[in-house]
């Protein structure tokens, strides 16, 4: 993804108030390997019940030249997520809604995002299972042992496209007024 600055992230927070946007604790943005990411997710180091996810959202119907490039019309979107309380049951498996990876339940948590606008102010939220460490982009780019080397590039490309479509779907629910 195209790098984001602290100013872009704070100003693109769509589902929380200005107070949260001002308070958000940033990750080490200069250490991020942006080119191998589709989004950036992190926990708020000073507010452990909050996490954030930012990415470049394409307008509907936009076609990308490459899955790791943006069309140039993309807008930054940052979502606030609430981190679940308590520990998940250790004997379960759960699937991340972004990367589609099945993991032990401690590594995939149910995050909830307040909806943007009046729906969110009225308490409406959207829940989704996500990898607890937000490493989905790295997971889908890892080489699966059973894949043929020749097809690996297109295989990963398809995974990236699927992840981005799911991310757009999730952000769409948060933004939607319904
Ligand atoms: Zn994931």
């Amino acid at each position: 993804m195209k790098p984001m600055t602290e100013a872009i992230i704070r100003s693109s927070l769509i589902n929380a108030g200005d107070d949260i946007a001002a308070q958000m604790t940033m990750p080490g943005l200069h250490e991020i390997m942006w080119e191998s990411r589709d989004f950036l997710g992190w926990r708020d180091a000073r507010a452990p019940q909050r996490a954030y996810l930012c990415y470049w959202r394409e307008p509907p119907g936009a076609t990308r030249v490459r899955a790791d490039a943006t069309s140039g019309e993309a807008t930054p979107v940052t979502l606030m997520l609430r981190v679940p309380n308590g520990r998940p049951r250790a004997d379960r498996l759960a699937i991340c809604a972004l990367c589609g990876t099945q993991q032990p339940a401690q590594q995939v948590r149910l995050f909830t995002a307040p909806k943007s606008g009046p729906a969110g102010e009225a308490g409406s939220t959207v829940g989704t299972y996500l990898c607890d460490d937000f490493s989905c982009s790295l997971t889908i780019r890892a080489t699966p042992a059973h894949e043929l080397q020749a097809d690996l590039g297109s295989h990963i490309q398809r995974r990236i496209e699927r992840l981005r479509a799911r991310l757009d779907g999730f952000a769409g629910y948060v933004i939607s007024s319904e």
Side-chain angles (χ1 to χ4, degrees):
M1 65 187 278
K2 204 163 65 168
M4 285 206 189
T5 62
E6 178 173 341
I8 291 174
I9 291 171
R10 289 193 196 279
S11 63
S12 63
L13 183 66
I14 57 164
N15 65 337
D18 292 345
D19 51 338
I20 304 270
Q23 287 164 18
M24 310 167 68
T25 310
M26 291 289 145
L29 295 176
H30 55 284
E31 294 161 11
I32 306 294
M33 305 273 283
W34 297 98
E35 63 277 12
S36 55
R37 286 186 172 273
D38 313 289
F39 69 92
L40 177 65
W42 71 100
R43 299 286 189 94
D44 191 314
R46 285 186 296 215
Q49 293 308 305
R50 291 203 295 265
Y52 312 99
L53 186 160
C54 66
Y55 82 113
W56 293 94
R57 189 165 199 250
E58 300 283 343
T63 49
R64 297 182 194 93
V65 180
R66 296 184 350 232
D68 59 347
T70 58
S71 67
E73 297 163 16
T75 50
V77 169
T78 301
L79 305 176
M80 184 190 80
L81 308 171
R82 294 208 184 97
V83 180
N85 287 318
R87 290 177 169 275
R89 285 181 53 178
D91 58 342
R92 294 211 180 143
L93 291 173
I95 293 176
C96 170
L98 289 184
C99 63
T101 310
Q102 190 178 57
Q103 309 230 50
Q106 309 95 297
Q107 290 164 40
V108 175
R109 309 287 302 271
L110 178 63
F111 289 88
T112 51
K115 296 193 72 162
S116 65
E121 284 158 25
S124 187
T125 60
V126 184
T128 193
Y129 285 91
L130 301 175
C131 290
D132 194 45
D133 60 0
F134 301 108
S135 62
C136 309
S137 290
L138 311 178
T139 302
I140 62 168
R141 285 166 175 79
T143 309
H146 60 278
E147 289 298 325
L148 290 174
Q149 209 58 35
D151 286 340
L152 189 59
S154 59
H155 181 78
I156 291 175
Q157 197 76 1
R158 284 195 298 278
R159 286 176 171 186
I160 292 170
E161 282 159 17
R162 277 202 295 271
L163 185 153
R164 288 179 164 230
R166 290 165 178 154
L167 189 51
D168 277 341
F170 176 55
Y173 280 124
V174 174
I175 295 165
S176 161
S177 57
E178 286 156 30

